[in-house]
Amino acid sequence: MEYNIALVPGDGIGPEIVGSTVKVLEAVSEKFGHVFNFNTYLAGGCAIDKYGEPLPKITIDGCLASDSVLLGAVGGPKWDHLSGNSRPEKALLGLRKELGLYTNLRPASLQPALAESCVLRPDIAAKGFDLMIVRELTGGIYFGNRGRNEAGDTAFDTESYSVMEIERVARRAFEIARKRRRHLTSIDKANVLESSRLWRETVHRLGASEFPDVELDDMYVDNAAMQIIRAPSFFDVIVTSNMFGDILSDEASQVTGSIGLLASASLGDSSRGMYEPIHGSAPDIAGKDLANPIATILSAAMMLRYSFDLNEEADFVEQSVAAVLQDGWRTADIKSPSEESFLTGSQMTEKILYKMKLG
Ligand code: NAD
């Protein structure tokens, strides 16, 4: 099969980690006989420098014409003085909007080889965990009506969800649960919020009519924040609103121990998605070959799985990464404090490519 992939490396370490990931995708194409065509576009600070805006039309058109988008990261101190719509980060919101992406997937799993860097109690970390947070991305309080009174001493933000918005993200979460351990936890605050009560009713109605084979339970968001720390192995797939998902996905990623390992996907109605590491452009290490490429490589594995339905290929990439970590290879961000030596980003990429060659 042939796939067109739009590359949006962005700023800081973005070009380094996207470059590493292209090598991994080329190795996949060699082994499995697919053709990946890559086209590179500017977004973020580098686009401001060249075009005077963070998300030029040429980038939007290129991404819309592709089968999927792989993004590095945007932003950096050079553009920190800019405000509002001129900021590099505006490119992310713009791309999500233009591509119609309303679901965000964030896996958080503990690689067994990295249990020692997990911040949880050792007996909890020893059980391991592998959860997927499915977050609604374009509705709720972040996009609701907001304002201040005339005196400016009272402000409000509105959480509002329609059945259609809840159903489409919940359907995606059920489908993902079906491909995993068939357990979905819907997280809300239905003891207080009316929008959460509609959320809960809608998720249950959908589950009963279309996904009776997936076990569904509910959890209040305050309890979920505790359980992610106390018993993360309870969770398989979580579905939740925009704000709750924003907070819980950051919490879940922190308990895994390294930001340089965590991937994400944003999806809409079509198979085209946007795939990116959860970390930023890390200006402090940009250009030093210190960036861990694994989060971006695992984001590409998600692209293979969720946009191209290439599950065997996605498993192969994920297993190759896990095997390199199992062998004890570490970049600076994931080495234990007592270790002196570590791999550069390009050495880590070579280790993964070598594993793929052997596999
Ligand atoms: P950051 O994620 O870029 O960096 C936080 C820390 O983690 C830094 O010490 C960095 O060196 C380290 N780190 C991040 N990725 C790493 C990797 N792959 N390997 C090794 N270490 C890694 O967050 P920040 O410093 O708050 O933000 C820097 C810039 O990135 C800002 O301009 C911010 O707006 C932007 N940002 C962009 C995105 C995005 O594009 N999706 C997300 C977050 C932040």
Side-chain angles (χ1 to χ4, degrees):
M1 290 286 286
E2 186 163 347
Y3 303 93
N4 295 316
I5 300 175
L7 302 175
V8 185
D11 308 311
I13 60 171
E16 300 167 37
I17 54 182
V18 168
S20 293
T21 305
V22 166
K23 289 185 186 162
V24 168
L25 286 170
E26 279 166 348
V28 169
S29 95
E30 223 167 86
K31 184 172 167 69
F32 292 89
H34 306 298
V35 177
F36 297 126
N37 303 313
F38 300 106
N39 290 298
T40 303
Y41 302 97
L42 299 185
C46 56
I48 295 173
D49 289 351
K50 175 146 188 200
Y51 299 105
E53 52 180 330
L55 184 59
K57 186 166 179 306
I58 186 172
T59 298
I60 297 171
D61 290 346
C63 291
L64 282 170
S66 72
D67 295 314
S68 220
V69 180
L70 181 70
L71 187 125
V74 298
K78 183 177 175 193
W79 306 280
D80 272 351
H81 63 285
L82 299 170
S83 61
N85 285 347
S86 325
R87 287 190 64 79
E89 293 79 4
K90 201 70 197 165
L92 301 174
L93 289 179
L95 274 173
R96 282 181 194 155
K97 185 163 166 264
E98 296 290 343
L99 298 172
L101 308 173
Y102 54 79
T103 302
N104 185 246
L105 308 188
R106 274 231 210 154
S109 61
L110 186 61
Q111 299 270 354
L114 288 173
E116 83 274 7
S117 59
C118 174
V119 297
L120 299 178
R121 249 181 25 218
D123 59 314
I124 298 174
K127 287 188 194 150
F129 59 88
D130 174 14
L131 61 90
M132 171 76 83
I133 298 187
V134 180
R135 166 190 169 193
E136 201 287 327
L137 203 56
T138 54
I141 197 163
Y142 291 177
F143 292 88
N145 192 19
R146 72 186 55 153
R148 291 194 182 198
N149 68 352
E150 246 172 55
D153 59 1
T154 301
F156 65 93
D157 298 274
T158 316
E159 172 88 345
S160 162
Y161 270 111
S162 68
V163 167
M164 182 277 288
E165 287 174 304
I166 301 166
E167 263 183 11
R168 64 184 185 177
V169 68
R171 183 170 285 110
R172 181 69 82 162
F174 275 114
E175 284 164 358
I176 290 167
R178 205 171 240 175
K179 289 190 182 167
R180 292 171 47 108
R181 303 192 297 279
R182 293 176 183 256
H183 176 204
L184 179 65
T185 304
S186 172
I187 292 176
D188 60 39
K189 190 69 183 164
N191 50 343
V192 179
L193 301 176
E194 193 54 37
S195 53
S196 278
R197 286 193 270 273
L198 181 68
W199 181 281
R200 194 176 277 215
E201 279 163 36
T202 307
V203 173
H204 277 267
R205 195 171 51 243
L206 185 70
S209 65
E210 293 182 29
F211 301 93
D213 54 321
V214 176
E215 185 193 345
L216 171 66
D217 43 44
D218 307 291
M219 197 178 278
Y220 295 136
V221 63
D222 38 352
N223 185 23
M226 283 195 291
Q227 297 308 330
I228 285 175
I229 293 169
R230 287 187 60 220
S233 59
F234 167 81
F235 298 104
D236 176 16
V237 179
I238 286 173
V239 64
T240 192
S241 63
N242 200 343
M243 182 166 70
F244 295 162
D246 187 8
I247 298 165
L248 293 179
S249 56
D250 268 11
E251 183 195 5
S253 55
Q254 282 310 309
V255 300
T256 64
S258 172
I259 195 170
L261 296 178
L262 297 165
S264 82
S266 299
L267 305 170
D269 283 329
S270 78
S271 61
R272 182 181 46 236
M274 187 161 89
Y275 298 83
E276 56 183 311
I278 71 153
H279 59 72
S281 58
D284 52 334
I285 56 168
K288 298 179 181 165
D289 199 12
L290 287 175
N292 187 347
I294 291 179
T296 317
I297 290 170
L298 293 178
S299 301
M302 291 183 84
M303 174 188 288
L304 297 173
R305 177 170 284 117
Y306 293 110
S307 280
F308 305 158
D309 211 17
L310 299 175
N311 292 307
E312 192 189 337
E313 291 81 344
D315 286 346
F316 178 62
V317 173
E318 288 166 356
Q319 284 158 9
S320 303
V321 168
V324 168
L325 294 173
Q326 194 61 45
D327 287 352
W329 298 110
R330 301 286 184 268
T331 42
D333 57 314
I334 51 174
K335 75 177 182 64
S336 75
S338 57
E339 271 176 280
E340 294 211 338
S341 63
F342 56 86
L343 299 184
T344 61
S346 39
Q347 286 169 333
M348 177 56 94
T349 309
E350 289 308 318
K351 292 286 176 205
I352 294 167
L353 292 172
Y354 185 64
K355 263 300 167 212
M356 292 174 78
K357 210 166 176 184
L358 295 181

